[in-house]
Amino acid sequence: MSTVILSDARFGAHTWYGHPECADRLDAIMEAVTTSRLLSDLCSVAPYPAPDAALMAVHTPELLWRVRQLSSYGGGQIDGDTYVTIDSWDAAQYAAGAAMGAVDAVLSRGHHNAFALVRPPGHHATPGRAMGFCLINNIAVAARHAISHYGLERVAIVDFDVHHGNGTQDIFYDDPQVLFISTHAAPFYPGTGPMAQVGTAGPAAGKTLNIPLPFGVGDIGYAHVFEDLVAPALRRFKPELLLVSAGYDSHWKDPLGPMVLSTSGYARLTADLLALADELCDGRIALVLEGGYSLEVLGACTVAALRLLLGRDPGPDMLGGARSVEPDLSHLIATIRERHPLFGT
Ligand SMILES: [Zn+2]
């Protein structure tokens, strides 16, 4: 097995004092990866900056101009949550490029799988709006790259970040070539992602699968959701490439999220997705980092994911579980299976 990681020192320059989405996040990940002695087994690839054409394929010129302009003037707040520094345009270009590089690694460089360890995150960035700590939608740029550069016809994105990937949904809402599946806490930031939104009527109908979850879902609930909804949806869609918006803020130790996944619960989801990629698309899978605001969780979950990408067991779960009673999801799962077009005849 060969597994690629892509990261860049430029990501650390995009940081804002006191903000949860800060340089410490990737520092903690790289320290955990180094301590775990995985580095020598991984193939580290330096990302390239995403070309303007790749960014324009998912974003409006106005959004790109605004982020670039604000960055060149020294930075500021895009909204109450989202900052730009003098280094942010550079970081955002390379983060999107790293996600593209993860696709390249899997589709043309003969590697098995890849993990783009990037900041700033991307899944809240819509075609015309940077928001929710996100400037450029990295995974959307990567999915479009897979379609336009490599000629793929079907790409699936699974987003297990605790927040709904509203930007990714918006970008692909009328696109039948991209299946977007999101598990997210609801009602929660950014307030989007109801199950009734399934894609624009026509060929894209059924290509958005929102799975809004009540607070307190953990290993048991997520496993059921993956088994009963995510896996059958992917089997129905038959992707040629599986991309994962890997946000680790659904962990019970995350300071922002209301879910109770453990490190081993997250590892099981990753193992499920790897098995589905093996079954459906020759193992072609690439992960792109999204949220996650506990430094120890980020380190532990990334190491477990990389071990799985390398074909090993996920290793011990040093953080343990939350020991709470989970809500019953059987009605929610049955309702989605009954109403969502992907599960129809
Ligand atoms: Zn998040």
Side-chain angles (χ1 to χ4, degrees):
M1 300 290 278
S2 71
T3 296
V4 165
I5 55 169
L6 302 101
S7 204
D8 197 286
R10 290 173 181 84
F11 303 151
H14 167 82
T15 196
W16 193 270
Y17 181 75
H19 198 287
E21 204 297 284
C22 62
D24 294 349
R25 297 179 61 235
L26 266 189
D27 290 347
I29 286 174
M30 295 316 293
E31 191 180 319
V33 174
T34 306
T35 307
S36 68
R37 299 172 190 261
L38 289 177
L39 267 186
S40 57
D41 300 319
L42 297 162
C43 180
S44 291
V45 171
Y48 53 84
D52 284 352
L55 301 179
M56 303 265 281
V58 302
H59 290 296
T60 61
E62 291 75 22
L63 168 86
L64 300 172
W65 179 85
R66 186 163 180 233
V67 175
R68 192 177 220 155
Q69 188 80 346
L70 190 55
S71 188
S72 72
Y73 281 122
Q77 294 282 140
I78 290 252
D79 62 21
D81 300 315
T82 314
Y83 66 85
V84 168
T85 73
I86 195 164
D87 299 301
S88 295
W89 177 251
D90 234 19
Q93 269 187 307
Y94 277 85
M100 293 171 72
V103 166
D104 296 333
V106 173
L107 293 183
S108 76
R109 304 273 154 82
H111 298 288
H112 287 95
N113 46 47
F115 199 157
L117 298 166
V118 299
R119 293 185 49 254
H123 72 153
H124 292 308
T126 73
R129 188 174 168 206
M131 59 178 278
F133 314 167
C134 302
L135 303 178
I136 302 291
N137 196 313
N138 306 312
I139 203 156
V141 171
R144 276 267 198 270
H145 177 57
I147 291 165
S148 61
H149 188 75
Y150 293 100
L152 297 196
E153 293 178 354
R154 291 179 311 284
V155 176
I157 300 173
V158 175
D159 184 331
F160 57 47
D161 188 283
V162 78
H163 303 97
H164 179 237
N166 62 299
T168 315
Q169 171 173 309
D170 284 4
I171 289 163
F172 297 115
Y173 201 65
D174 58 2
D175 188 338
Q177 292 188 287
V178 178
L179 171 65
F180 175 61
I181 303 175
S182 175
T183 56
H184 48 273
F188 200 52
Y189 183 89
T192 52
M195 69 172 86
Q197 291 181 345
V198 299
T200 302
K207 304 304 189 305
T208 294
L209 171 54
N210 281 318
I211 307 169
L213 300 169
F215 289 13
V217 178
D219 298 359
I220 297 167
Y222 273 91
H224 280 157
V225 162
F226 268 55
E227 190 179 328
D228 296 338
L229 295 174
V230 177
L234 289 171
R235 289 192 179 106
R236 183 61 72 96
F237 181 70
K238 296 186 174 58
E240 297 162 294
L241 170 70
L242 181 52
L243 299 177
V244 182
S245 266
Y248 294 114
D249 42 11
S250 303
H251 196 283
W252 68 272
K253 286 201 89 171
D254 188 88
L256 304 187
M259 297 311 207
V260 295
L261 263 178
S262 68
T263 308
S264 55
Y266 255 122
R268 176 171 173 183
L269 304 185
T270 304
D272 286 351
L273 294 172
L274 280 166
L276 285 159
D278 278 341
E279 176 189 329
L280 300 170
C281 50
D282 295 327
R284 295 194 291 226
I285 185 169
L287 280 63
V288 180
L289 184 67
E290 300 285 0
Y293 304 96
S294 157
L295 301 182
E296 58 182 345
V297 166
L298 281 166
C301 285
T302 305
V303 165
L306 288 171
R307 289 180 59 94
L308 289 164
L309 290 174
L310 285 163
R312 302 178 192 169
D313 66 67
D317 179 350
M318 305 301 280
L319 301 176
R323 298 178 197 284
S324 57
V325 178
E326 295 192 30
D328 178 10
L329 301 181
S330 51
H331 179 68
L332 173 79
I333 290 171
T335 304
I336 294 176
R337 286 191 67 102
E338 193 181 299
R339 296 187 187 165
H340 195 281
L342 256 189
F343 302 104
T345 48

